[in-house]
Amino acid sequence: MSIIEKDLNPDVFIGVSLPLEYGKQGFFNKTKTFLEQTKSNVKNLLLTIRGERLGNPTFGSDLMRLLFEPQNDDFEAAIEESIRSSMDEWMPFVKIRDITVTSSPRNPNLMRVRLQFSVNVDQTVQTLDLDLATADAEAGGSGTGSETGGLYS
């Protein structure tokens, strides 16, 4: 069964979405399409610290480590490079269209990363917003129609 056939079949679920929580479908919310699952997998990859996963110490990214580094002129470039290297290693079928890094004007302990991407089987551009908190700041949702993720979501 091809990806398109699975996406169009209402009885087929592709995977589990993150964060793991109780939802309408039971204990784990399921994804119905390849793009939904890819977005969830990207979020999982980027918010996992390298070395955090037992048995797979190279999985993840260095985003969380970068947050605690001193911010200098190339801070946004370092975040972008961390995202690109993790995506190239673990999800080479995902094409990154744009990465935007901004700091929150209301909270200096919050970095917002907007990642726009597509996959090789569907050129539809997907948007993933990540609110990366560096202290006890709450990460809230932003953007309409996009998935928001962070330490506290």
Side-chain angles (χ1 to χ4, degrees), residues 9 17 19-20 22 32 40 49 51 61-62 78 89 95 97 103 112 126 128 138-139 151:
N9 186 341
S17 70
L20 297 176
Y22 187 77
K32 301 246 348 140
S40 184
I49 301 168
S61 72
D62 292 325
E89 180 179 355
K95 181 179 181 182
R97 302 288 183 158
S103 58
R112 297 183 188 269
Q126 298 292 307
L128 177 67
E138 265 195 48
L151 289 174

Side-chain angles (χ1 to χ4, degrees), residues 30-117:
K30 301 171 191 106
T31 56
K32 301 246 348 140
T33 67
F34 178 70
L35 288 176
E36 284 177 1
Q37 187 60 47
T38 301
K39 186 183 278 191
S40 184
N41 291 347
V42 169
K43 179 179 175 182
N44 181 33
L45 173 67
L46 296 179
L47 294 179
T48 300
I49 301 168
R50 255 186 226 271
E52 176 181 356
R53 191 164 281 184
L54 294 175
N56 201 352
T58 61
F59 181 82
S61 72
D62 292 325
L63 278 181
M64 296 304 175
R65 287 190 177 106
L66 285 172
L67 291 176
F68 292 96
E69 295 293 321
Q71 293 186 14
N72 52 22
D73 294 338
D74 63 342
F75 184 68
E76 286 85 8
I79 288 178
E80 185 174 338
E81 177 56 33
S82 174
I83 291 170
R84 288 187 187 279
S85 83
S86 295
M87 295 293 289
D88 287 345
E89 180 179 355
W90 291 101
M91 302 183 83
F93 62 92
V94 175
K95 181 179 181 182
I96 296 174
R97 302 288 183 158
D98 186 40
I99 299 174
T100 307
V101 180
T102 56
S103 58
S104 172
R106 294 184 305 182
N107 185 350
N109 296 324
L110 187 66
M111 294 298 293
R112 297 183 188 269
V113 178
R114 173 166 277 183
L115 175 66
Q116 293 182 322
F117 65 91

Side-chain angles (χ1 to χ4, degrees), residues 19 43 47 64 110 129-133 139-140 147-153:
K43 179 179 175 182
L47 294 179
M64 296 304 175
L110 187 66
D129 289 330
L130 299 173
D131 291 343
L132 307 171
E147 186 74 22
T148 302
L151 289 174
Y152 304 103
S153 63

